[in-house]
């Protein structure tokens, strides 16, 4: 085995239990696990990233459709989705829970995440946003057509359709043409920095106030807070959501839906903002010796989570590298050599 002795694997299995220790899955699923863990683990991870961004965008874009169409047609509909919570709960265990190109790039810069794998993740994330927006458009198609007809009748189609209040604004993000782009950039950067700080905080195993089980809700509420407070000035917050949605809008309405100069701000600003937020947290707020201040270096539940994750990855490596396979963890593994997988997947 690569870098791990048999005794180390044995000790790990004594400390941690895998699904195979308590549940015998049907033979067809066990056979699929053998193929997936040895041959297509990277594809499964990319599918998880695609589906997670799909969940995030599907809920959020669906709520946007309700709001915009409801306003145009004077219908009493609309709500705010919790798509990011669903994405984190459903898919984090499989892919590591990136769901944003900015987060993936942070892992490349700070945690040794393989660049080639990062490219696959980013493509998968954007594809997830694109698919979600197409599905929302198909599901709302009749009412969207009614809304477009109402705008044409009112003589407002050309001025409203490709704006944050028009049908194209359901899928793609737009900003008021009169808004100063410098202010729009600052608004986007500050909101994304705010979100990035919270993501870094919930990943910190010494943070007593953010146990792993609470992370999806904390991140979801933070996204909601940013959107409620700052979306009126233009807020994308996720390259996958913005680029995926803009490509879907262009596919439906043509290049008029491209968004002009604002498109670059929406697509790219969250990346340097998230990197800056992570660097700020690492340099200022995180402390390897936090026990000298207020708490143990790692909380009990944080240590349990990270130990379990390490054992899961260790077990998957064992499955990947050996012909005799115990059917265990449902998570996929990384076959890239020389990468510290505990850091890579944290």
């Amino acid at each position: 085995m690569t870098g791990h002795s048999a005794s180390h694997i044995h000790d790990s299995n004594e400390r941690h239990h895998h699904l195979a220790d308590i549940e015998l899955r049907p033979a067809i699923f066990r056979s699929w696990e053998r193929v997936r863990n040895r041959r297509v683990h990277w594809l499964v991870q990319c599918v998880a990233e695609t589906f997670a961004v799909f969940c995030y965008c599907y809920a959020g874009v669906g709520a946007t459709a309700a709001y915009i169409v409801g306003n145009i047609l004077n219908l009493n509909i609309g709500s705010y989705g919790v798509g990011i919570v669903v994405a984190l709960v459903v898919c984090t265990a499989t892919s590591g829970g990136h769901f944003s190109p900015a987060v993936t790039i942070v892992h490349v810069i700070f945690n040794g995440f393989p660049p080639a794998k990062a490219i696959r993740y980013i493509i998968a994330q954007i594809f997830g946003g694109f698919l979600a927006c197409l599905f929302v458009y198909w599901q709302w198609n009749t009412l969207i057509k009614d809304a477009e007809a109402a705008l044409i009748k009112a003589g407002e189609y050309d001025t409203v359709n490709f704006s944050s209040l028009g049908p194209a604004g359901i899928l793609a993000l737009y900003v008021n043409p009169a808004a100063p782009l410098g202010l729009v950039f600052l608004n986007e950067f500050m909101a994304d920095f705010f979100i990035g700080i919270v993501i870094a905080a919930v990943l910190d195993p010494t943070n007593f106030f953010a146990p792993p089980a609470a992370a999806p809700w904390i991140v979801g509420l933070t996204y909601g807070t940013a959107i409620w407070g700052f979306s009126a000035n233009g807020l994308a917050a996720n390259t996958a959501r913005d680029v995926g949605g803009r490509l879907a809008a262009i596919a439906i309405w043509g290049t008029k839906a491209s968004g002009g100069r604002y498109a670059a701000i929406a697509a790219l600003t969250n990346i340097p903002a998230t990197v800056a937020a992570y660097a700020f947290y690492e340099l200022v707020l995180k402390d390897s010796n936090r026990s000298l201040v207020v708490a143990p270096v790692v909380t009990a539940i944080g240590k349990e989570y990270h130990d379990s994750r390490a054992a899961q990855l260790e077990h998957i490596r064992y499955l990947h590298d050996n012909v005799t396979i115990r059917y265990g963890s449902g998570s996929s593994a990384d076959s890239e050599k020389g990468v510290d997988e505990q850091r890579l997947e944290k």
Side-chain angles (χ1 to χ4, degrees), residues 92-148:
T92 296
T94 299
S95 66
H98 294 196
F99 313 156
S100 165
V103 174
T104 298
I105 290 169
V106 162
H107 280 283
V108 171
I109 295 172
F110 295 98
N111 297 328
F113 197 80
K117 186 173 180 179
I119 293 172
R120 295 198 295 262
Y121 266 39
I122 291 170
I123 293 172
Q125 292 157 1
I126 293 172
F127 184 58
F130 177 76
L131 282 181
C133 289
L134 288 184
F135 271 94
V136 170
Y137 177 78
W138 290 330
Q139 288 176 256
W140 280 86
N141 184 262
T142 300
L143 286 173
I144 288 175
K145 294 296 184 185
D146 289 343
E148 289 180 321

Side-chain angles (χ1 to χ4, degrees), residues 45-126:
Q45 290 175 325
C46 287
V47 169
E49 288 287 307
T50 297
F51 183 68
V53 177
F54 177 93
C55 291
Y56 161 51
C57 292
Y58 186 73
V61 174
T64 303
Y67 172 77
I68 291 177
V69 173
N71 281 343
I72 294 173
L73 299 180
N74 294 316
L75 300 176
N76 185 22
I77 53 179
S79 65
Y80 183 78
V82 291
I84 191 64
V85 177
V86 174
L88 288 166
V89 169
V90 172
C91 298
T92 296
T94 299
S95 66
H98 294 196
F99 313 156
S100 165
V103 174
T104 298
I105 290 169
V106 162
H107 280 283
V108 171
I109 295 172
F110 295 98
N111 297 328
F113 197 80
K117 186 173 180 179
I119 293 172
R120 295 198 295 262
Y121 266 39
I122 291 170
I123 293 172
Q125 292 157 1
I126 293 172

Side-chain angles (χ1 to χ4, degrees), residues 242-262:
D242 176 75
V243 175
R246 200 169 302 281
L247 289 175
I250 291 173
I252 294 166
W253 286 285
T255 56
K256 290 183 179 180
S258 63
R261 291 189 297 165
Y262 169 66

Side-chain angles (χ1 to χ4, degrees), residues 192-277:
D192 295 339
F193 186 90
F194 170 70
I195 294 169
I197 283 286
V198 174
I199 293 173
V202 300
L203 291 176
D204 184 350
T206 72
N207 191 342
F208 266 95
F209 299 100
W217 303 97
I218 295 171
V219 174
L221 180 60
T222 302
Y223 268 94
T225 301
I227 290 169
W228 295 325
F230 304 104
S231 60
N233 295 318
L235 179 61
N238 187 335
T239 298
R241 185 268 175 267
D242 176 75
V243 175
R246 200 169 302 281
L247 289 175
I250 291 173
I252 294 166
W253 286 285
T255 56
K256 290 183 179 180
S258 63
R261 291 189 297 165
Y262 169 66
I265 295 175
L268 301 176
T269 304
N270 71 98
I271 295 174
T274 305
V275 171

